[in-house]
């Protein structure tokens, strides 16, 4: 399996976790941690409302339950984190300190996303050069997650938008063998 196929496969698993979180009356976020050799290591979902814990984001649930291997002395950066939405600032900090090598997310988040913000900040950018990242590599998966977020916001009387999708409408994205416009 090539890297692009692997990214799609594991983002779909993260989306499955997000769907479970939504069914549990939570925010529809899911995350997956994958070893360097491409094998699934851990999967989890947002549990903020189930645990009444504001730090129980999907990314942190995966990191907490994997910390022994992530922080093993001399382990280096050998894991990829797949997540449904761009990590917030809190999760971004945890990703950095967890020695994760790469982060891939299905949907950018201009509302509370923090990874691109931290990466673009001259004060912190140098710290993030060790982490590779891929933002919204598949338009169809971004639309699925955006629709879930809009549904969740409507159910919780929140007004938010995801202009990230609209920004890319004018760009053609490569998905599998076909080009398609989001």
């Amino acid at each position: 399996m090539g890297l692009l196929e692997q990214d799609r496969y594991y983002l779909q698993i993260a989306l499955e976790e997000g769907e479970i979180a939504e069914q549990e009356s939570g925010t529809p976020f899911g995350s997956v941690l994958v070893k360097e050799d491409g094998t699934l290591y851990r999967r989890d979902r947002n549990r903020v409302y189930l645990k009444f814990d504001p730090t129980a984001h999907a990314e942190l649930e995966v990191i907490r339950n994997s910390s022994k291997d992530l922080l093993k002395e001399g382990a280096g950066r050998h894991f990829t984190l797949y997540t449904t939405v761009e990590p917030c600032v809190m999760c971004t900090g945890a990703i950095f300190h967890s020695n994760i090598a790469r982060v891939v997310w299905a949907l950018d988040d201009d509302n509370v996303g923090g990874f691109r913000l931290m990466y673009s900040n001259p004060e912190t950018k140098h710290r993030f050069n060790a982490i590779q990242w891929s933002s919204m590599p598949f338009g169809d998966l971004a639309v699925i997650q955006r629709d879930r977020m809009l549904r969740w916001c409507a159910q919780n009387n929140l007004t938010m938008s995801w202009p990230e999708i609209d920004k890319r409408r004018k760009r053609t994205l490569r998905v599998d063998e076909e080009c398609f416009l989001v």
Side-chain angles (χ1 to χ4, degrees):
M1 178 178 339
L3 187 59
L4 192 60
E5 293 85 10
Q6 178 177 306
D7 286 353
R8 184 173 191 80
Y9 177 75
Y10 286 119
L11 278 176
Q12 288 172 320
I13 293 174
L15 286 166
E16 289 171 10
E17 287 294 323
E19 184 175 18
I20 295 167
E22 185 177 24
Q23 292 167 0
E24 295 173 342
S25 300
T27 312
F29 296 154
S31 291
V32 175
L33 192 64
V34 175
K35 291 182 180 181
E36 187 175 39
D37 66 4
T39 58
L40 177 67
Y41 183 75
R42 176 114 26 226
R43 60 191 285 175
D44 217 322
R45 60 193 161 276
N46 184 291
R47 297 175 190 271
V48 168
Y49 298 107
L50 283 176
K51 292 183 172 183
F52 296 100
D53 177 356
T55 68
H57 292 198
E59 299 92 337
L60 292 184
E61 293 293 286
V62 165
I63 289 168
R64 277 188 192 112
N65 293 314
S66 308
S67 60
K68 270 190 173 177
D69 286 330
L70 288 170
L71 299 175
K72 195 182 298 179
E73 190 172 337
R77 295 185 182 273
H78 299 291
F79 288 88
T80 298
L81 179 72
Y82 294 91
T83 191
T84 53
V85 176
E86 177 184 0
C88 70
V89 173
M90 176 181 64
C91 292
T92 298
I95 289 165
F96 172 76
H97 289 292
S98 299
N99 294 322
I100 290 171
R102 187 166 173 261
V103 183
V104 183
W105 59 85
L107 179 64
D108 287 347
D109 187 353
D110 285 348
N111 298 299
V112 294
F115 197 94
R116 291 175 298 146
L117 179 69
M118 299 288 283
Y119 186 83
S120 65
N121 182 332
E123 298 294 320
T124 57
K125 181 175 180 157
H126 65 284
R127 295 177 183 263
F128 288 89
N129 285 336
I131 303 171
Q132 297 176 2
W133 54 284
S134 180
S135 155
M136 290 180 28
F138 305 101
D140 59 329
L141 301 183
V143 169
I144 290 167
Q145 183 61 28
R146 188 242 3 233
D147 291 347
R148 283 187 185 159
M149 293 306 302
L150 291 173
R151 184 173 53 247
W152 183 83
C153 287
Q155 290 168 352
N156 291 281
N157 297 316
L158 298 171
T159 305
M160 296 178 98
S161 64
W162 273 262
E164 302 79 10
I165 298 268
D166 297 328
K167 288 179 196 172
R168 294 202 178 188
R169 279 183 192 253
K170 295 178 184 168
R171 285 197 255 168
T172 303
L173 301 176
R174 183 78 90 200
V175 178
D176 294 331
E177 297 300 319
E178 61 184 332
C179 285
F180 104 114
L181 287 173
V182 178

